[in-house]
Amino acid sequence: MFISFEDYLKDVAADPSLKQVAETIARLSEAAIEVQRAISVGRITKTTHGDNSGQNASGETQKALDVFADEAFLRAAKSSHVLVYGSEEQDVPVVFDAGSLALAIDPLDGSSNIETNISVGTVFSLLPVHASHKEAPAEAFQQLGKNQLAAGFFIYGAQLLLVMTVGAGTRTFIHIAEQGGFFLLNEMNIPVTSREYSVNASNRRYWSSGIARYIKDVEAGEDGPRGRNFGMRYVGSLVAEAYRILQRGGVFLYPADQRAGYHEGRLRQLYEANPIAFCIEQAGGSATDGTTRILNLAPKDLHARTPLVFGSQSEVETIAEYIHVRSA
Ligand code: AHG
Ligand code: MN
Ligand code: MN
């Protein structure tokens, strides 16, 4: 018999310090169902999801579905316990009248995959708003990632999934429309070792020597210093890479590279790296910027980027060794 998401959230809410977190995640899950429905019918009013509709704060093309998702999650945030809403699709944080939480969110992750029917998702991170933040709520986003109360991501794919943690393990829930809700699928445990790596190899010429050497050696397989063969998977949607790694292990890398705008990598610390890192660590994996734990990195601003390496602990540690050796 499946445990319902509602029953799980009731357990979470039994801890008074997490009651508003549980209620907020329940509202976010309703917005996710709305986004999944919009994706599955393939059109919003006159435009398709894949149509461009401007640029976001990071200067990246905004798709119609990015905007649709942002509006859905903004409404959900406003009608729950969020005081300040920091979104990839909003230049500056949105401050509501009341609330106890700061929500950092990537309303639609993997936008470049929308028109190809490849899984996309939503990534979210919930931080506490302390009394010291009341004058300037956006300062709540200056907290270290290890202060997150909860984090997770929705995947809009063959299944609508929610992967989340409140700091007591990482669980996956599946939406079963006929049953009218989400149900617990499993608790995630990442294998310590792995044979799969995930990187956009077209950026090879821009990488640091340590990363380049690590990838060269895994590609050499049993003919090289690693003495065993590896496999490679790259989807281009962070949520799809993260779920695959939670399911069967592996390591994902989006390193810093020499292209303009990529000197800190591509992924954003507050609403991509921090929440993914929290879920990965709670499933027994590791997440770093190559050498330093993501959850210990001080954020710079809402849209700050960070290099990101996450997955099976042994490979994340091996990558750090390659970087230290090559920089020695
Ligand atoms: P977003 O659509 O929110 O901008 O995120 C896209 C990110 C992430 O999902 C993925 O891992 C990465 O971009 C892929 O980047 P490249 O296309 O440069 O490999
Ligand atoms: Mn993203
Ligand atoms: Mn996005």
Side-chain angles (χ1 to χ4, degrees), residues 152-171:
F153 55 94
F154 295 95
I155 305 184
Y156 312 114
Q159 300 164 333
L160 169 54
L161 298 179
L162 164 59
V163 179
M164 64 168 279
T165 183
V166 292
T170 295
R171 288 170 179 78

Side-chain angles (χ1 to χ4, degrees), residues 66 88-89 106 108-109 111:
D66 282 317
E88 178 193 8
E89 306 311 327
D106 176 358
L108 199 91
D109 173 68
S111 311

Side-chain angles (χ1 to χ4, degrees), residues 118-180:
I118 289 172
S119 297
V120 293
T122 297
V123 192
F124 65 90
S125 164
L126 285 170
L127 288 156
V129 174
H130 297 302
S132 60
H133 299 135
K134 288 294 182 206
E135 291 308 309
E139 286 179 3
F141 292 123
Q142 295 308 310
Q143 298 176 78
L144 298 184
K146 64 184 176 186
N147 288 15
Q148 291 173 95
L149 296 171
F153 55 94
F154 295 95
I155 305 184
Y156 312 114
Q159 300 164 333
L160 169 54
L161 298 179
L162 164 59
V163 179
M164 64 168 279
T165 183
V166 292
T170 295
R171 288 170 179 78
T172 296
F173 298 86
I174 181 169
H175 184 251
I176 304 175
E178 294 73 36
Q179 309 277 333

Side-chain angles (χ1 to χ4, degrees), residues 12-328:
V12 170
D15 171 349
S17 68
L18 290 174
K19 183 172 181 303
Q20 296 185 336
V21 165
E23 291 167 355
T24 298
I25 294 176
R27 276 294 294 112
L28 296 180
S29 71
E30 291 161 14
I33 293 167
E34 206 183 321
V35 173
Q36 170 75 50
R37 200 173 292 131
I39 290 174
S40 57
V41 300
R43 291 190 68 76
I44 307 174
T45 59
K46 293 186 293 300
T47 65
T48 63
H49 307 320
D51 284 356
N52 295 344
S53 68
Q55 281 206 330
N56 65 18
S58 307
E60 291 171 342
T61 305
Q62 237 175 1
K63 304 273 188 180
L65 191 60
D66 282 317
V67 175
F68 178 88
D70 187 46
E71 288 164 357
F73 284 101
L74 186 70
R75 286 193 299 273
K78 190 171 183 180
S79 65
S80 51
H81 300 287
V82 176
L83 175 63
V84 54
Y85 176 85
S87 164
E88 178 193 8
E89 306 311 327
Q90 302 272 349
D91 293 357
V92 295
V94 178
V95 182
F96 301 120
D97 298 335
S100 62
L101 301 170
L103 170 61
I105 188 164
D106 176 358
L108 199 91
D109 173 68
S111 311
S112 64
N113 284 323
I114 292 169
E115 50 268 39
T116 58
N117 196 29
I118 289 172
S119 297
V120 293
T122 297
V123 192
F124 65 90
S125 164
L126 285 170
L127 288 156
V129 174
H130 297 302
S132 60
H133 299 135
K134 288 294 182 206
E135 291 308 309
E139 286 179 3
F141 292 123
Q142 295 308 310
Q143 298 176 78
L144 298 184
K146 64 184 176 186
N147 288 15
Q148 291 173 95
L149 296 171
F153 55 94
F154 295 95
I155 305 184
Y156 312 114
Q159 300 164 333
L160 169 54
L161 298 179
L162 164 59
V163 179
M164 64 168 279
T165 183
V166 292
T170 295
R171 288 170 179 78
T172 296
F173 298 86
I174 181 169
H175 184 251
I176 304 175
E178 294 73 36
Q179 309 277 333
F182 285 88
F183 293 85
L184 180 65
L185 201 53
N186 52 359
E187 190 153 352
M188 316 306 284
N189 285 294
I190 301 180
V192 173
T193 58
S194 67
R195 60 173 298 281
E196 260 181 357
Y197 67 99
S198 183
V199 73
N200 182 339
S202 68
N203 298 327
R204 187 191 306 275
R205 61 190 182 282
Y206 302 121
W207 295 333
S208 68
S209 54
I211 294 289
R213 167 75 61 167
Y214 170 76
I215 296 295
K216 182 170 179 288
D217 286 355
V218 291
E219 287 173 339
E222 58 192 16
D223 304 330
R226 300 299 306 270
R228 62 189 175 99
N229 290 330
F230 289 75
M232 202 282 277
R233 289 284 183 278
Y234 194 76
V235 181
S237 285
L238 179 63
V239 292
E241 322 285 9
Y243 186 63
R244 182 190 62 247
I245 287 171
L246 282 161
Q247 278 287 80
R248 65 185 192 214
V251 67
F252 171 89
L253 306 89
Y254 208 113
D257 74 45
Q258 289 153 20
R259 288 173 293 168
Y262 284 75
H263 297 167
E264 292 300 323
R266 171 181 180 142
L267 300 171
R268 280 51 59 103
Q269 182 179 355
L270 276 169
Y271 42 80
E272 289 174 313
N274 277 352
I276 295 294
F278 195 11
C279 290
I280 292 291
E281 285 197 0
Q282 286 293 316
S286 300
T288 68
D289 64 359
T291 53
T292 304
R293 185 187 180 216
I294 288 289
L295 298 185
N296 284 343
L297 292 175
K300 300 177 196 71
D301 69 58
L302 176 61
H303 300 295
R305 297 173 190 271
T306 176
L308 179 59
V309 172
F310 67 81
S312 295
Q313 192 176 333
S314 67
E315 281 309 303
V316 173
E317 287 168 358
T318 301
I319 289 165
E321 288 158 18
Y322 270 78
I323 293 170
H324 286 310
V325 164
R326 298 302 295 175
S327 57

